[in-house]
Amino acid sequence: MAMLQWFLLLCIFFISASAAKVQTKVTDNPADELIAALNSNRTANKLSSLYSNPGLACLALQYIKAYGGDCKVVGGPDGKKPAESEFAQEFAPNCGVQASSLAQITGRFLACQSKYAEPSEAFNDILIRNSKSLDILYSKNHTEVGAAVSGSGGGGPYFWCVLFSNGKPKSSFSTGGVEPKVSRPGCFSGSNDQCSGANTLSQTIYLWTITVGASVALLYALGV
């Protein structure tokens, strides 16, 4: 009986450890992975990689939020985009970015769909859609980049945004030596923060439900 108890307790331990491991995996920052895919593509085509600017990336998340979760106005004949004045008047203050450090936006990618996609898929199949997209990606005018990913209301639709700039790395889009302000939901590249976008919350709850359920069942078998 004692051996059985030890065996069941070990099962609880390994289930919990597995859930924790997967939880860590699903909370990785997809915006950082999007930047990695972008820079990998550029260097494969003999272009320089771009500096990942967290201040610029925070603005990308604010750019997404300006759409209010409305996919219908992203691209196409009815497409809209925030006014350029919003970068200085709203986006920068919301991120803690100093208005005096704002630099020119030399290109942007924005996409939205109901289903979540992994960063590599989002980059290759959603953001890069035509020759115009490739022209933006391979432009030699860019020096830095920032990306953001966000869902709406804890689920879809899902937005991906990449902003390019010709600013001076490490001095443009400055937050004065502090981390850019993190806002929920969503995440942005270079934030050193766990992502709250995509399906992180639902997967985390699901995993720990399995863990707790299994633990209760095993403890019941032990007669506790």
Side-chain angles (χ1 to χ4, degrees):
M1 182 65 182
M3 289 293 292
L4 176 61
Q5 291 177 336
W6 275 110
F7 174 75
L8 293 175
L9 287 171
L10 283 172
C11 287
I12 294 174
F13 171 78
F14 282 117
I15 291 171
S16 300
S18 297
K21 181 178 180 181
V22 177
Q23 183 186 13
T24 299
K25 182 178 179 181
V26 300
T27 54
D28 285 346
N29 190 336
D32 282 332
E33 296 177 45
L34 197 58
I35 294 295
L38 183 152
N39 274 328
S40 177
N41 190 287
R42 280 180 60 93
T43 55
N45 284 274
K46 303 187 184 307
L47 293 168
S48 61
S49 61
L50 302 175
Y51 171 67
S52 178
N53 188 316
L56 178 58
C58 184
L59 297 187
L61 182 55
Q62 293 299 315
Y63 195 89
I64 287 174
K65 292 181 183 297
Y67 283 85
D70 190 357
C71 248
K72 298 188 295 294
V73 295
V74 176
D78 299 322
K80 299 178 181 179
K81 63 179 182 179
E84 294 299 313
S85 61
E86 290 193 50
F87 279 91
Q89 295 175 2
E90 293 189 33
F91 301 165
N94 289 343
C95 288
V97 170
Q98 298 169 350
S100 60
S101 69
L102 293 177
Q104 181 183 1
I105 302 298
T106 52
R108 69 195 78 187
F109 291 146
L110 179 70
C112 176
Q113 67 175 31
S114 59
K115 181 182 177 182
Y116 179 72
E118 293 299 323
S120 58
E121 179 187 353
F123 175 74
N124 291 309
D125 302 333
I126 301 174
L127 294 175
I128 305 300
R129 292 167 292 186
N130 48 41
S131 58
K132 183 179 179 181
S133 300
L134 290 174
D135 288 342
I136 295 172
L137 175 64
Y138 297 142
S139 172
K140 294 182 180 179
N141 293 328
H142 311 320
T143 56
E144 52 189 355
V145 65
V149 181
S150 182
S152 299
Y158 296 99
F159 287 78
W160 293 266
C161 180
V162 179
L163 296 180
F164 299 90
S165 175
N166 61 358
K168 187 176 181 181
K170 299 185 180 181
S171 63
S172 58
F173 306 99
S174 172
T175 54
V178 299
E179 293 287 334
K181 296 178 183 177
V182 174
S183 57
R184 305 298 189 190
C187 51
F188 55 89
S189 54
S191 63
N192 296 317
D193 185 64
Q194 289 185 334
C195 182
S196 64
N199 51 356
T200 298
L201 180 59
S202 60
Q203 290 191 42
T204 301
I205 292 173
Y206 173 71
L207 287 166
W208 284 106
T209 299
I210 292 175
T211 304
V212 172
S215 300
V216 170
L218 290 172
L219 287 171
Y220 178 79
L222 288 170
V224 177

